[in-house]
Amino acid sequence: IKFQTKINYFLVSVTDAKKIKKICIRHKPDYIFHCAAYKHVPLVEKNIIESVENNYISTVNLCELALQLHISKLILISSDKAVRPSSVMGATKRLSELAIKYYSIKSSMAKNKTSFSAVRFANVLNSSGSVVPLFAKQIQAGGPITITDKRAERYFMTIIDAVKLVLETTLISKNGNIMLLKMGKQVKILEVAKKLAKFYGLTIRDKKNPTGEIGLVEIGLRPGEKIKEELHYDNKTKKTVNKDILCVDNLKLNFEKFKSLQKDINYCITKNNSKDLKKILLNQKNMF
């Protein structure tokens, strides 16, 4: 199939609200898919203010823009790390989900037709930052393969599946919905390393197999990382017309409290106070 879609490229920071607005006024998009984010957990932990501005403030700016310009839908690409966040990255995604809920309420109050929703899913194989290309590079270099923790487990899905399902949520989601892609069972990172080594015709060298061709080193969990991730707070999910897409409608939000939280975050950014900003982000009481 040959598509006749015209694609325009713009080298603009997602945090530059004025330039993004000019682009939207000129090209009049029907949908905004907000997937720009710093997602590498250790990097975000060390660059808190910059990451909050890029991951969360950009979400608020885009939501404001969508509301002003009456854009049909804004879809936030969220993460499993937004559930009970232990990292700054997860907290920025959690806040962004809450922003979606906040602006869905504002949209309804203003009788605006703009719909705000989010899609939550986990690791995408072969994406930037995925363990698979990292392991492949280490194997090709002769090893060792490095894993954070032998107990660590993660959800995975392919790029094609993720894109297809995200696009389908635009037909299913309603204003304020947090959608969840079915990810199957979590997979041990250790097993991913072993299978990839096998793919290259190698075996892991360890206590059980001292004659294996490639070594494996456990380096420990990095700041903010969990042993296991979660996709939702409880099992209260709703089925949709697509068996691979669920709706998580249990995201609570106190409208006035969230407005106050936004002020606190902006104040910390203005004062370049990353210490207090991190406390705000990881304080679970302030997330609801």
Side-chain angles (χ1 to χ4, degrees), residues 68-172:
Q68 288 174 24
L69 301 182
H70 301 277
I71 289 168
S72 180
K73 282 195 175 188
L74 184 144
I75 300 97
L76 167 75
I77 304 302
S78 190
S79 164
D80 55 349
K81 292 176 177 61
V83 180
R84 274 182 275 268
S86 62
S87 64
V88 174
M89 186 274 176
T92 62
K93 284 298 187 182
R94 178 64 174 169
L95 275 171
S96 293
E97 286 188 357
L98 290 168
I100 289 297
K101 205 74 176 178
Y102 176 81
Y103 279 95
S104 71
I105 295 170
K106 282 190 76 170
S107 182
S108 296
M109 287 168 62
K111 296 182 179 178
N112 194 307
K113 291 183 179 180
T114 303
S115 174
F116 297 90
S117 61
V119 187
R120 187 191 294 161
F121 57 98
N123 302 283
V124 177
L125 289 166
N126 281 332
S127 65
S128 173
S130 169
V131 295
V132 174
L134 173 63
F135 287 168
K137 187 177 179 181
Q138 290 175 338
I139 291 168
Q140 289 164 4
I145 301 172
T146 59
I147 63 169
T148 54
D149 193 298
K150 290 181 179 178
R151 301 167 297 162
E153 297 181 12
R154 295 290 183 267
Y155 292 102
F156 290 98
M157 73 188 312
T158 66
I159 292 173
I160 291 174
D161 284 341
V163 172
K164 175 174 169 287
L165 291 174
V166 166
L167 291 175
E168 286 194 35
T169 64
T170 63
L171 304 174
I172 298 170

Side-chain angles (χ1 to χ4, degrees), residues 72-280:
S72 180
K73 282 195 175 188
L74 184 144
I75 300 97
L76 167 75
I77 304 302
S78 190
S79 164
D80 55 349
K81 292 176 177 61
V83 180
R84 274 182 275 268
S86 62
S87 64
V88 174
M89 186 274 176
T92 62
K93 284 298 187 182
R94 178 64 174 169
L95 275 171
S96 293
E97 286 188 357
L98 290 168
I100 289 297
K101 205 74 176 178
Y102 176 81
Y103 279 95
S104 71
I105 295 170
K106 282 190 76 170
S107 182
S108 296
M109 287 168 62
K111 296 182 179 178
N112 194 307
K113 291 183 179 180
T114 303
S115 174
F116 297 90
S117 61
V119 187
R120 187 191 294 161
F121 57 98
N123 302 283
V124 177
L125 289 166
N126 281 332
S127 65
S128 173
S130 169
V131 295
V132 174
L134 173 63
F135 287 168
K137 187 177 179 181
Q138 290 175 338
I139 291 168
Q140 289 164 4
I145 301 172
T146 59
I147 63 169
T148 54
D149 193 298
K150 290 181 179 178
R151 301 167 297 162
E153 297 181 12
R154 295 290 183 267
Y155 292 102
F156 290 98
M157 73 188 312
T158 66
I159 292 173
I160 291 174
D161 284 341
V163 172
K164 175 174 169 287
L165 291 174
V166 166
L167 291 175
E168 286 194 35
T169 64
T170 63
L171 304 174
I172 298 170
S173 64
K174 295 179 181 178
N175 191 29
N177 281 169
I178 308 296
M179 311 305 287
L180 174 64
L181 305 187
K182 277 193 177 181
M183 301 291 298
K185 293 182 179 179
Q186 293 201 67
V187 179
K188 283 188 178 293
I189 299 297
L190 178 60
E191 292 305 311
V192 175
K194 286 180 178 179
K195 286 180 180 178
L196 199 59
K198 187 178 180 181
F199 175 80
Y200 280 91
L202 303 171
T203 55
I204 299 290
R205 184 169 60 251
D206 54 24
K207 290 180 181 179
K208 292 183 180 180
N209 185 25
T211 59
E213 293 97 343
I214 192 162
L216 186 143
V217 178
E218 192 175 10
I219 60 174
L221 290 172
R222 296 169 296 182
E225 288 187 325
K226 297 179 182 178
I227 291 292
K228 293 184 178 182
E229 296 290 358
E230 301 171 272
L231 289 173
H232 44 71
Y233 279 80
D234 50 39
N235 293 317
K236 294 178 181 177
T237 57
K238 296 178 182 178
K239 292 181 179 179
T240 68
V241 293
N242 187 318
K243 63 180 179 61
D244 294 319
I245 301 173
L246 301 172
C247 183
V248 186
D249 246 355
N250 56 353
L251 189 63
K252 298 176 183 177
L253 177 74
N254 182 307
F255 192 82
E256 293 303 320
K257 193 173 182 180
F258 186 72
K259 282 171 68 175
S260 176
L261 182 64
Q262 282 183 304
K263 289 180 181 179
D264 292 341
I265 290 169
N266 288 330
Y267 181 78
C268 286
I269 291 173
T270 303
K271 296 297 181 181
N272 201 34
N273 188 341
S274 58
K275 186 178 179 181
D276 285 348
L277 182 57
K278 186 172 183 177
K279 286 180 182 178
I280 291 171

Side-chain angles (χ1 to χ4, degrees), residues 17-116:
K18 289 183 179 178
K19 287 184 180 177
I20 298 292
K21 185 175 183 178
K22 284 182 180 179
I23 292 168
C24 288
I25 290 173
R26 182 179 176 185
H27 293 279
K28 298 179 175 60
D30 294 312
Y31 294 174
I32 293 177
F33 292 90
H34 180 31
C35 50
Y38 296 142
K39 61 179 181 176
H40 297 79
V41 172
L43 184 66
V44 171
E45 289 293 318
K46 292 180 180 179
N47 299 276
I48 296 171
I49 290 175
E50 293 78 9
S51 298
V52 170
E53 286 179 325
N54 189 74
N55 293 11
Y56 169 64
I57 300 299
S58 68
T59 304
V60 172
N61 290 343
L62 285 173
C63 286
E64 283 284 356
L65 179 63
L67 209 58
Q68 288 174 24
L69 301 182
H70 301 277
I71 289 168
S72 180
K73 282 195 175 188
L74 184 144
I75 300 97
L76 167 75
I77 304 302
S78 190
S79 164
D80 55 349
K81 292 176 177 61
V83 180
R84 274 182 275 268
S86 62
S87 64
V88 174
M89 186 274 176
T92 62
K93 284 298 187 182
R94 178 64 174 169
L95 275 171
S96 293
E97 286 188 357
L98 290 168
I100 289 297
K101 205 74 176 178
Y102 176 81
Y103 279 95
S104 71
I105 295 170
K106 282 190 76 170
S107 182
S108 296
M109 287 168 62
K111 296 182 179 178
N112 194 307
K113 291 183 179 180
T114 303
S115 174
F116 297 90

